[in-house]
Amino acid sequence: MTTEPPRRRLVPASALLLLAPWTAECSWGGFTLTGMPFVVLVLAPMYGGAALLIRETARRLGLGWPGIALLAAAFGVVQAGLVDQSLFNPGFLDDTEFADTRAAAEATLVPGLGFSARQAVDYVGNHVVLTVCAPIALAESYLGGRRARPWLGRPGLVAAALLWLGGSLLVFADDGGRKNFLASPVQLAVATGVALALIAAALLRHRHAGRTTDAPTPGPTSAGPTFAGRPQTEAGPPRPLWPALVVAAAYVGSTIAPGWPGVVLALALAGIATALLTHWSRRPGWGQRHVLATGSAGLVVAAALAYTVPTYAPASPAAALVGDVAISVIVLLLVGGAWWRITAARGRRRAAGPAGRPASPPA
């Protein structure tokens, strides 16, 4: 357990708790500016509790970013398959401004299971990118050398788990949360099995890699915080812009084709992006700038696309535009502030030199 003062640990935990619901539901234009505070407060236990629990589990067990992504996918399956059950409810969006997407979703129904492969990719993918990875990457980028350490002790972990469980139960029990729909036992069993398989895959990283963390390994061949979790010595990584572009291309490309070709394209792009990020992150020199660029790229794209999508509930053009502009400003401030913190910390380390002393003697 960390010995840092409680305030230094609770501030980033609280920030993640509030940031996750905003990136999950507001950053892509789902709500107007006046509706965002209510959404964040109501959904913070479920989304924020899940993001915090995933982050703490991964950091304690040394699962790295692949483990975080797998646990985030498991959360997405649980959320869409077991909690609000939107994955199995064909009419889940009928009372929103997205009712016209039903036909496109039904074009990719999986026989015998009654869910849309298109919606499965969208729901789970957005939970991985926006609900979990983006807020964790942002929150950790503000912390300097403390970013890979656990924030919570055992009581805090229990509290995060209870927050997530309580928030999920409230959504499940609320008529507006589950839309008076209940999936079949077979559907619930399939969703449970997939979620457990994803959790098992994440935990297997702990078994095979030991207690490896994303912290840099001291020495000249350090690969820094790696996506793959195993520093290796080889050519340096590309500039942070390139992994950001890879993620952005996969995010945008997954939406351009309808029907089953679109599903295949989305999965192929996700696989290519994962392979490239894994390869690059094993190279020496991969650092938090790369992690931030990778983790925030989907968030930046979602904020840009907010101008093209409606809100859940009808809103005037002026209210929708004000909300979209606010999203752009908030994302730019969050990402820009995190980049500044990382850059300033790198500058201080270079000025201090390899042994913590000034790099050159004073004149």
Side-chain angles (χ1 to χ4, degrees), residues 14-361:
S14 300
L16 181 57
L17 194 69
L18 297 175
L19 185 58
W22 188 85
T23 56
E25 292 291 351
C26 301
S27 66
W28 52 270
F31 295 91
T32 61
L33 180 60
T34 56
M36 290 180 192
F38 177 78
V39 172
V40 169
L41 290 177
V42 170
L43 297 181
M46 181 174 64
Y47 285 145
L52 189 54
L53 189 62
I54 288 170
R55 191 265 173 195
E56 291 299 295
T57 300
R59 293 309 181 211
R60 284 173 169 271
L61 298 181
L63 305 181
W65 278 100
I68 290 176
L70 287 168
L71 292 176
F75 164 74
V77 173
V78 170
Q79 173 61 30
L82 302 179
V83 179
D84 63 28
Q85 302 187 12
S86 55
L87 184 60
F88 301 115
N89 183 359
F92 186 80
L93 297 175
D94 284 355
D95 58 348
T96 73
E97 294 295 284
F98 295 92
D100 59 352
T101 63
R102 181 169 180 171
E106 291 179 343
T108 58
L109 283 178
V110 177
L113 293 178
F115 73 87
S116 166
R118 174 75 266 176
Q119 288 184 330
V121 169
D122 291 343
Y123 292 165
V124 176
N126 278 319
H127 279 306
V128 172
V129 174
L130 298 179
T131 306
V132 178
C133 290
I136 291 177
L138 281 169
E140 291 187 344
S141 294
Y142 281 88
L143 295 181
R146 299 183 294 125
R147 64 176 57 100
R149 302 175 189 170
W151 297 336
L152 304 176
R154 290 182 180 178
L157 280 174
V158 172
L162 290 177
L163 274 175
W164 167 66
L165 183 61
S168 299
L169 289 176
L170 285 176
V171 171
F172 177 83
D174 183 71
D175 289 340
R178 194 165 38 86
K179 307 290 181 71
N180 293 311
F181 174 86
L182 188 63
S184 70
V186 173
Q187 290 172 326
L188 296 175
V190 169
T192 301
V194 171
L196 290 176
L198 289 168
I199 293 171
L203 295 179
L204 280 176
R205 290 187 51 79
H206 174 53
R207 178 179 178 182
H208 292 303
R211 301 191 66 84
T212 304
T213 69
D214 280 350
T217 303
T221 61
S222 170
T226 67
F227 183 87
R230 295 191 305 275
Q232 294 182 358
T233 303
E234 53 181 274
R239 294 181 180 274
L241 175 63
W242 289 106
L245 289 177
V246 166
V247 173
Y251 194 92
V252 174
S254 66
T255 66
I256 61 177
W260 284 105
V263 173
V264 173
L265 177 62
L267 294 175
L269 289 173
I272 292 171
T274 299
L276 284 173
L277 293 173
T278 300
H279 175 67
W280 287 337
S281 70
R282 289 175 173 173
R283 296 181 177 182
W286 178 274
Q288 191 62 26
R289 293 190 308 157
H290 298 86
V291 172
L292 175 62
T294 303
S296 63
L299 178 62
V300 172
V301 172
L305 295 178
Y307 294 90
T308 67
V309 300
T311 53
Y312 278 118
S316 68
L321 180 60
V322 168
D324 296 339
V325 171
I327 290 169
S328 298
V329 172
I330 292 171
V331 169
L332 287 175
L333 289 175
L334 287 170
V335 178
W339 188 266
W340 177 83
R341 291 277 295 186
I342 295 171
T343 303
R346 291 178 76 235
R348 288 192 297 268
R349 287 196 301 270
R350 288 177 177 178
R357 300 185 298 271
S360 59

